[in-house]
Amino acid sequence: MTRRPPVAAACLAALAAAAGCTHRAAVPAPAPASLAAALRGAFLVGAAVNEGVFSGRDTAGAALVAAQFNSVTPENALKWESLHPGRGRYDFAAADRYVAFGERHGMFVVGHTLVWHNQTPSWVFEDTTGHPVSRDTLVARLRDHILTVVGRYRGRVAGWDVVNEAVADDGSLRRTPWLSIVGEDYPVLAFRFAHEADPAAQLYYNDYSLENAPKRAGAIALVRRLLAAGVPVAGVGLQEHDRLDWPAAADVDTTIAAFAALGVKVMVTELDVDVLPRAVRQTGADVTLAAAARPELNPWPAALPDSVQQQLARRYAELFGVFLRHRGQVSRVTFWGVTDRDSWKNDWPVRGRTNYPLLFDREGRPKPAFDAVIAAADAARPGF
Ligand code: XIL
């Protein structure tokens, strides 16, 4: 049996011969491209990681994260309910492993999140009889939580999502127990406590659907108020839980520019692209939304048709085109998950669907969308 060189190697050999190169050594297989390498000099590129990745259980996932990314965000491990499930009871086991994982791989380690209305146990807002606590009590609890958590990882967690999703769709402050019990200054207090706990940490405001004009205006007003109060807001996180057709690239562009104009860093903090049929009218990422499962909402349980795969690749190229154009303003782009298998989009807002929102498939193999991101970086690279 004659062994023929693969087509690519044959072409390379032909090219070398044409160029007068007689060197015959085998051409080593190119190392798989890495997002971190392709985007180095433009911005950091991160992934939200779950316990499987940082506990060592998911070795393939951990290896993929180490090879591809230079920043991590904890998908759930640093939320209030994970860290501080009961009054006076902290549990740092998972969080410690998360931070150690990020350090071991030399990553920019993000903390997510200190103040949110979701994944915060009800005891936080209640006294022992179940009634709402006073402002003073809730401020004291907030201060204790932030000083304890940020203080524990002082100098190790480089940036914190201090306040998450405080603005409602109409731009007003969202009606949450934080607002009704503490009042409008709770974001100011949260940032002050975080700064007190770690003066060197970058402190961020993080939210979704900021491409919607009323909500964007509300978030801009909030950041302005914080800056006017002397609060050190280092950056704003645009979550970017996107769809194939939403938001328009032009609106992402406008949104990045609008926040950058405030003089703060802009980060894309939770990027994914939902390819499944819309199950709820709202765009965005309200984690409390839920819709009933119906077969027509889960059209591709076995595999993504090639046409949609290509559409996803084009969408990622478009989004990275925008991020790369703003590379002086965007400091990090983080994906919300690593592979399609572990994406929250398989269960939100409908449980048990098969979604395909990320760059790596269920086996951790790069998808055409991955190649599209690398190509977008290559095309922009002469500039960074
Ligand atoms: C999601 C996680 O991915 C899920 O595992 C969890 O059940 C709910 O929260 N906005 C945020 C993230 O800021 O913390 C949310 O993460 C997704 C929406």
Side-chain angles (χ1 to χ4, degrees):
M1 193 174 87
T2 50
R3 298 177 102 213
R4 295 176 48 195
V7 176
C11 294
L12 269 180
L15 271 177
C21 170
T22 54
H23 188 64
R24 292 247 161 212
V27 180
S34 120
L35 295 168
L39 292 161
R40 185 158 295 128
F43 37 70
L44 294 170
V45 59
V49 291
N50 58 35
E51 180 119 32
V53 166
F54 56 77
S55 68
R57 217 170 40 242
D58 177 5
T59 46
L64 191 56
V65 172
Q68 291 290 333
F69 300 97
N70 50 27
S71 175
V72 278
T73 300
E75 186 172 0
N76 290 299
L78 268 74
K79 290 175 180 172
W80 195 309
E81 70 177 10
S82 311
L83 285 175
H84 196 176
R87 199 169 292 132
R89 187 157 58 82
Y90 283 92
D91 178 355
F92 292 109
D96 285 354
R97 280 196 289 274
Y98 160 73
V99 175
F101 174 87
E103 286 182 328
R104 201 156 57 241
H105 296 290
M107 304 220 166
F108 183 95
V109 178
V110 178
H112 173 85
T113 176
L114 297 169
V115 187
W116 194 22
H117 54 287
N118 289 313
Q119 295 182 274
T120 303
S122 50
W123 70 260
V124 175
F125 307 109
E126 294 170 357
D127 63 19
T128 46
T129 62
H131 293 100
V133 288
S134 67
R135 167 180 158 97
D136 286 352
T137 300
L138 189 52
V139 170
R141 286 181 183 173
L142 179 65
R143 183 162 189 275
D144 164 70
H145 180 82
I146 293 180
L147 289 190
T148 305
V149 172
V150 177
R152 183 178 183 91
Y153 301 114
R154 181 182 171 127
R156 301 174 66 200
V157 168
W160 281 96
D161 291 337
V162 177
V163 177
N164 201 29
E165 303 177 357
V167 177
D169 289 343
D170 66 1
S172 64
L173 279 183
R174 187 188 284 276
R175 313 271 175 275
T176 67
W178 293 114
L179 181 66
S180 61
I181 299 174
V182 176
E184 292 199 351
D185 61 343
Y186 82 84
V188 174
L189 295 173
F191 274 83
R192 289 217 174 109
F193 298 151
H195 186 60
E196 179 184 345
D198 186 350
Q202 295 180 11
L203 306 180
Y204 314 130
Y205 176 69
N206 193 54
D207 213 329
Y208 64 82
S209 296
L210 295 173
E211 289 75 14
N212 293 344
K215 185 164 182 175
R216 179 169 63 233
I220 289 174
L222 172 61
V223 173
R224 282 216 173 100
R225 281 201 302 279
L226 290 167
L227 293 170
V231 166
V233 182
V236 170
L238 315 179
Q239 291 185 8
E240 298 303 328
H241 290 293
D242 293 346
R243 306 186 51 80
L244 286 172
D245 60 358
W246 182 91
D251 293 333
V252 178
D253 192 279
T254 307
T255 304
I256 294 173
F259 285 102
L262 299 175
V264 296
K265 291 176 198 298
V266 181
M267 288 148 298
V268 173
T269 52
E270 306 187 11
L271 180 60
D272 49 24
V273 177
D274 195 327
V275 302
L276 295 181
R278 238 178 227 279
V280 290
R281 266 211 325 275
Q282 296 92 323
T283 49
D286 177 347
V287 300
T288 62
L289 285 177
R294 280 183 282 131
E296 62 271 28
L297 294 178
N298 191 27
W300 305 304
L304 189 63
D306 194 53
S307 59
V308 189
Q309 189 79 267
Q310 297 308 326
Q311 227 181 316
L312 181 68
R314 285 196 299 276
R315 177 65 164 150
Y316 266 110
E318 178 185 47
L319 289 169
F320 271 79
V322 175
F323 306 153
L324 284 158
R325 269 203 301 286
H326 286 280
R327 58 183 170 270
Q329 299 163 328
V330 171
S331 59
R332 168 168 57 90
V333 174
T334 289
F335 292 83
W336 203 245
V338 183
T339 74
D340 287 342
R341 191 186 33 160
D342 42 51
S343 167
W344 77 302
K345 286 284 175 83
N346 294 308
D347 287 307
W348 180 91
V350 178
R351 293 193 73 83
R353 293 198 293 179
T354 306
N355 213 331
Y356 303 84
L358 296 167
L359 301 188
F360 298 94
D361 71 11
R362 289 179 154 66
E363 279 71 50
R365 290 178 304 232
K367 295 157 60 176
F370 171 91
D371 299 331
V373 170
I374 298 284
D378 287 348
R381 177 140 343 89
F384 62 90

